[in-house]
Amino acid sequence: MPNKKQYKYPKNWFKNNIIAIPGGVTGNCSACIFRETNYCDKMVCTYLDEGIDNLMSVYWVGVETHANIAMWPDLINFFRTVPKYRIREISYNIMKATLLKSR
């Protein structure tokens, strides 16, 4: 059985450094921090509201305006060490809370 590498980042690192911005039905991929990266497929950015059947979306940006540069090594490490299912779960929860709050 192969050894699993444990993720050692603080529990809320992603939540404290990356935020979801409501983007309407079509989204705004050109404004997203993950555009043109292979990390995009690990994220969740669309949400189907079960009660209303509306498709909503978000795009992701850094909390700080310099995040694209200063945070990039941490972001790379985060995506390299955290399993895809966990990143999707984290991003889904943040996205859902953001969209529900924006109503």
Side-chain angles (χ1 to χ4, degrees), residues 5-71:
K5 184 176 181 180
Q6 277 304 111
Y7 179 66
K8 301 292 185 194
Y9 263 81
K11 183 178 179 182
N12 292 321
W13 181 88
F14 192 91
K15 186 177 181 179
N16 292 334
N17 288 285
I18 306 292
I19 57 174
I21 306 294
V25 175
T26 58
N28 188 359
C29 293
S30 64
C32 187
I33 194 173
F34 300 112
R35 71 186 179 281
E36 301 175 14
T37 70
N38 60 349
Y39 305 135
C40 187
D41 70 324
K42 296 182 180 185
M43 300 294 296
V44 177
C45 57
T46 56
Y47 173 68
L48 182 62
D49 188 341
E50 297 97 10
I52 307 172
D53 291 336
N54 282 340
L55 181 65
M56 297 177 278
S57 67
V58 298
Y59 60 93
W60 300 93
V61 297
V63 171
E64 300 291 329
T65 56
H66 64 278
N68 286 353
I69 298 166
M71 191 183 63

Side-chain angles (χ1 to χ4, degrees), residues 60-87:
W60 300 93
V61 297
V63 171
E64 300 291 329
T65 56
H66 64 278
N68 286 353
I69 298 166
M71 191 183 63
W72 203 251
D74 280 343
L75 192 63
I76 291 169
N77 196 36
F78 180 86
F79 276 90
R80 189 178 294 146
T81 59
V82 177
K84 181 178 179 176
Y85 79 89
R86 184 67 184 123
I87 293 171

Side-chain angles (χ1 to χ4, degrees), residues 22-23 47 56-58 94-103:
Y47 173 68
M56 297 177 278
S57 67
V58 298
I94 293 171
M95 175 200 60
K96 185 177 178 181
T98 298
L99 290 172
L100 293 175
K101 189 191 313 185
S102 71
R103 289 188 178 170

